[in-house]
Amino acid sequence: MQYNVAQLLKASIGTAFQADIHEEDVQLDSDLKILGAINGHVRMRRTDYGLLVDGWVDLTLPMVCDRCLKPFEQPMHITFEELFYPTIDVTSGVPVPPPLGEDEGFPIDEHHQLDLSEAVRQHLLLELPMRALCREDCPGLCPQCGHDLSLGPCQCQPEIDPRWGALAELLQQRLPSQA
């Protein structure tokens, strides 16, 4: 996801460039494996500081369900909007300091190559679900025997907390008298 933006950096403020994204075998992070290709769209607009880049990507991540521990594929739609600034002046070749501070935006390398990988990685990490579920109504595993409850109920009797044992005895005593 690299683009040579030298011509865009030479253009007047407001000039835009658009491109479709289709990348195979992209590795954004050692912990994030991507299945298949990344597809999307990017738009780059020249600003007085550098380039304002926005767009979206669609990708699929392999995940493991937090409830039933089965692997599944999670499709993700990631949108992003970031400022990229040049590190080398495109006309003179002189190093340029970051315009807004180093924490504001992403650098464009000395060869005027803009790499979207880090911006997409950061937005992907923000979009990851807090709890990975293979489906919303996944029943999970039985806490006693480990049976997959999506295959049907298990034969386990519910555990009664010993602290509630006295109440359970009272309930048993009341039930026969009501019958």
Side-chain angles (χ1 to χ4, degrees):
M1 291 189 289
Q2 293 189 353
Y3 298 90
N4 187 321
V5 293
Q7 293 302 318
L8 190 56
L9 289 171
K10 291 178 185 177
S12 62
I13 294 174
T15 304
F17 168 76
Q18 296 189 41
D20 289 327
I21 300 171
H22 180 78
E23 297 282 333
E24 299 279 342
D25 300 323
V26 176
Q27 183 66 39
L28 296 176
D29 194 337
S30 60
D31 294 335
L32 293 171
K33 308 292 184 220
I34 297 174
L35 300 175
I38 293 180
N39 295 303
H41 187 77
V42 64
R43 178 177 57 175
M44 301 175 200
R45 290 172 285 181
R46 179 74 167 103
T47 67
D48 54 345
Y49 294 116
L51 299 176
L52 180 63
V53 179
D54 64 279
W56 56 269
V57 293
D58 289 328
L59 52 91
T60 304
L61 297 175
M63 300 187 106
V64 176
C65 181
D66 288 340
R67 290 186 186 160
C68 68
L69 304 178
K70 287 183 182 174
F72 70 100
E73 294 179 0
Q74 176 72 49
M76 304 280 298
H77 179 78
I78 309 298
T79 59
F80 57 90
E81 181 176 10
E82 293 293 340
L83 179 65
F84 285 78
Y85 59 88
T87 55
I88 301 290
D89 183 70
V90 72
T91 54
S92 67
V94 176
V96 178
L100 302 172
E102 294 195 23
D103 295 337
E104 305 282 336
F106 294 92
I108 299 170
D109 74 8
E110 63 275 0
H111 302 291
H112 311 294
Q113 291 283 79
L114 183 144
D115 189 1
L116 289 176
S117 301
E118 181 60 20
V120 170
R121 185 189 75 82
Q122 288 184 18
H123 284 271
L124 173 61
L125 290 174
L126 292 173
E127 293 291 325
L128 285 175
M130 297 277 291
R131 183 174 300 141
L133 298 176
C134 60
R135 60 181 208 262
E136 199 60 39
D137 63 341
C138 177
L141 302 175
C142 172
Q144 293 173 345
C145 68
H147 175 73
D148 185 356
L149 296 175
S150 64
L151 301 175
C154 64
Q155 304 303 320
C156 296
Q157 297 297 321
E159 285 185 10
I160 298 175
D161 189 337
R163 296 174 291 183
W164 296 98
L167 290 175
E169 289 176 20
L170 284 174
L171 184 61
Q172 289 297 328
Q173 291 172 5
R174 268 188 82 98
L175 286 178
S177 64
Q178 290 179 355

